Amino acid sequence: MTTPSHSPSPNRSWFQQEWRGLLLAIGFFTRIPVPALPDFHEQELNTAAKYFPLVGIIVGAFAAIVYSLANAVLPQDIAVLLSMVATIWLTGAFHEDGLTDAIDGLGGGWEKEQVLQIMQDSRIGSYGVVGIVLVLSLKFAALNHFPPLLVPVLLIAGHSLSRLCSVMVMATQRYVKFSGKSKPLATSMPLTHLAVAALLGLLPLLWLPSSWYWGIVPVAAVWMWFSLVLKKRIGGYTGDCLGAMQQLTEVSFYLGVLACAAT
């Protein structure tokens, strides 16, 4: 991909702009090869942001395929573990890395600048290790308690909904760090873009029993809590915080649906 340009983008049709935005989102968040985008401009990131949940559907579908194939010949717990490995490989542990960095920063830092500095550190501290181990363990344990036929649907819904939660952070808070290893996916989120993201993020829920929709309540609670933490501690979000929000809300969704299924 070429170096971002700040000059006005050339005139393109609506379809061309949206297609480039989708390719940019896929290339930004996954290892899936995408064509080079000539004449790339940073404002195109604003178009790409609304496709974040669609990338979640793609990642979740990949995990669902791996799970289904593995579950046909292996015990369910191994199939679940392989599906988790598949998503980590496909995304390059992008969100897991964000979770560890964010927990390290928020756990070990006191002032805003100290928190941001720790997040930028490539080393992983004890807070980050404990956080990622607990989140992955909860995800693994929760998925193992579902009937095998429902796990693929849950994987797709969990990945899309959790990425919608990250988009909602971008829509409601400001980016607080424009230097370092990460850049904001978008600097603006029009209501139309947010509506598209919401549609894509919530669409897979239609495959679940309506009584399980109460599983969204823990997701909303975690989103509100972590959003308030970010607002209070650093006055907004970073790329690492978006990854952390994705991971926290994904596991919250599985736990919430599991609680509904158990009642």
Side-chain angles (χ1 to χ4, degrees), residues 57-225:
I57 293 177
I58 295 171
V59 173
F62 182 68
I65 292 172
V66 171
Y67 168 83
S68 299
L69 293 175
N71 194 54
V73 294
L74 296 170
Q76 175 162 320
D77 55 349
I78 298 179
V80 168
L81 184 58
L82 288 175
S83 73
M84 294 170 60
V85 171
T87 62
I88 292 173
W89 174 82
L90 189 63
T91 62
F94 193 72
H95 308 298
E96 289 80 4
D97 178 68
L99 175 67
T100 56
D101 288 343
I103 292 179
D104 270 338
L106 294 169
W110 292 94
E111 301 297 330
K112 172 183 175 180
E113 294 305 320
Q114 186 182 17
V115 172
L116 295 177
Q117 185 177 8
I118 295 175
M119 286 186 187
Q120 287 184 311
D121 195 331
S122 60
R123 295 169 295 181
I124 300 178
S126 57
Y127 287 105
V129 171
V130 171
I132 190 64
V133 168
L134 289 177
V135 168
L136 292 178
S137 298
L138 282 172
K139 191 185 304 185
F140 172 76
L143 289 170
N144 268 307
H145 281 81
F146 288 103
L149 291 178
L150 287 175
V151 173
V153 177
L154 288 166
L155 287 169
I156 297 173
H159 280 277
S160 64
L161 179 62
S162 59
R163 283 161 174 79
L164 171 60
C165 290
S166 294
V167 171
M168 291 175 62
V169 173
M170 290 189 284
T172 56
Q173 300 203 43
R174 67 183 185 91
Y175 193 83
V176 296
K177 181 183 62 174
F178 288 92
S179 62
K181 64 181 179 180
S182 59
K183 295 290 183 181
L185 175 61
T187 55
S188 66
M189 180 63 63
L191 288 178
T192 52
H193 289 198
L194 185 59
V196 172
L199 175 63
L200 295 171
L202 298 174
L203 187 62
L205 295 177
L206 296 177
W207 297 337
L208 296 176
S210 58
S211 60
W212 288 10
Y213 291 172
W214 288 104
I216 301 177
V217 173
V219 177
V222 168
W223 185 89
M224 293 178 62
W225 164 74

Side-chain angles (χ1 to χ4, degrees), residues 18-32:
E18 296 302 314
W19 178 245
R20 286 171 64 92
L22 175 58
L23 292 179
L24 182 59
I26 294 173
F28 196 94
F29 289 111
T30 74
R31 295 175 181 266
I32 299 174

